[in-house]
Amino acid sequence: MKFFIDSAEIAEIKELSGYGLLDGVTTNPSLIAKSGRKFKEVIAEICAIVKGPVSAEVAATDYEGMVREGEILSKIAKNVCIKLPLTMDGLKACKYFSDKGIQTNVTLCFSAAQAILAAKAGATFVSPFIGRLDDIGQDGLSLIEEICDIYSNYPEFKTEVLVASIRNPVHITQAARIGADVATIPAKVLKQLVSHPLTDKGLETFVKDWASTGQKID
Ligand code: E4P
């Protein structure tokens, strides 16, 4: 499973990329607004830190506007992945960019039917938002299962399932059991993955016992 970070904060992207855990980055207009920074500058900086796909989302909602903005964004760096909404115009723009060999991420996917359309449009990634489905009382992980099942019936579908809107570590472990290709994870949740009270307690004991030996490893 590939790990992307869902963030537009340079400091946290740098920090987590230093651990060798990041295969890519996703941003969205809300994360860019939260950063308070200029969109193209942030994307350029992220692309220089992480070599994998960096999703940059168009702001336009019509086909011509998406193509115009996507062209501009794709020139920032080779690893920019154009993020497009799951609408008819977004799918058309997805086809346009995938035909040109430019990576695409079709976002705001909330149904298996939408995911089939994204695959037919040649998307590199489709982003089902599982946390937002959970928020309205639907089971986000069931959608991941459904999409992975459907895609496995059609080897000609090359689109990767990118699990988005992740809220907790269980979302990640369950998505991995299902076989999703990618998880895009907020920094806070990524850090939660490592923590276990027995790890902390065990390490504390080992450090204490080692000190009592008076030895050094040299
Ligand atoms: C994915 O690409 C989106 O940026 C993100 O996962 C949305 O998450 P949210 O529902 O927490 O805003």
Side-chain angles (χ1 to χ4, degrees):
M1 179 183 242
K2 286 177 234 174
F3 274 12
F4 290 2
I5 184 172
D6 198 27
S7 173
E9 297 301 327
I10 300 297
E12 68 186 10
I13 294 169
K14 250 190 200 151
E15 185 203 339
L16 287 167
S17 118
Y19 292 106
L21 287 171
L22 294 189
D23 302 299
V25 180
T26 52
T27 66
N28 65 36
S30 307
L31 293 169
I32 296 293
K34 197 171 144 212
S35 79
R37 297 201 44 212
K38 287 225 182 306
F39 183 28
K40 290 201 296 177
E41 281 174 22
V42 176
I43 297 297
E45 284 178 37
I46 298 174
C47 287
I49 300 166
V50 178
K51 295 296 157 219
V54 174
S55 289
E57 189 161 342
V58 295
T61 54
D62 63 301
Y63 170 73
E64 286 77 16
M66 289 187 212
V67 166
R68 190 179 50 77
E69 292 178 358
E71 295 277 16
I72 294 169
L73 295 171
S74 70
K75 289 191 179 79
I76 296 177
K78 278 204 172 71
N79 53 331
V80 167
C81 172
I82 306 302
K83 205 174 181 191
L84 303 148
L86 217 157
T87 60
M88 289 308 278
D89 280 28
L91 291 167
K92 191 175 172 188
C94 174
K95 182 83 178 70
Y96 171 87
F97 286 112
S98 54
D99 283 350
K100 288 184 80 175
I102 292 171
Q103 297 193 88
T104 50
N105 176 357
V106 175
T107 189
L108 291 168
C109 172
F110 293 95
S111 76
Q114 290 179 320
I116 293 171
L117 290 173
K120 291 207 57 84
T124 315
F125 304 103
V126 64
S127 291
F129 278 35
I130 63 170
R132 293 193 195 186
L133 281 172
D134 290 356
D135 291 346
I136 60 158
Q138 294 185 20
D139 183 2
L141 282 163
S142 296
L143 175 61
I144 300 302
E145 202 161 12
E146 207 182 340
I147 297 171
C148 288
D149 273 357
I150 292 170
Y151 279 12
S152 71
N153 290 336
Y154 299 97
E156 68 272 25
F157 284 176
K158 302 292 179 218
T159 304
E160 294 188 27
V161 179
L162 192 169
V163 183
S165 187
I166 282 174
R167 304 268 196 262
N168 56 60
V170 177
H171 274 157
I172 299 162
T173 51
Q174 291 304 313
R177 279 183 86 160
I178 293 165
D181 303 284
V182 190
T184 188
I185 312 170
K188 189 180 130 215
V189 179
L190 214 151
K191 286 179 179 167
Q192 284 173 349
L193 286 179
V194 77
S195 70
H196 195 288
L198 291 181
T199 304
D200 297 342
K201 197 166 165 249
L203 186 59
E204 203 184 304
T205 308
F206 286 157
V207 167
K208 204 167 98 230
D209 290 347
W210 177 251
S212 77
T213 70
Q215 299 182 53
K216 264 191 188 160
I217 301 172
D218 49 19

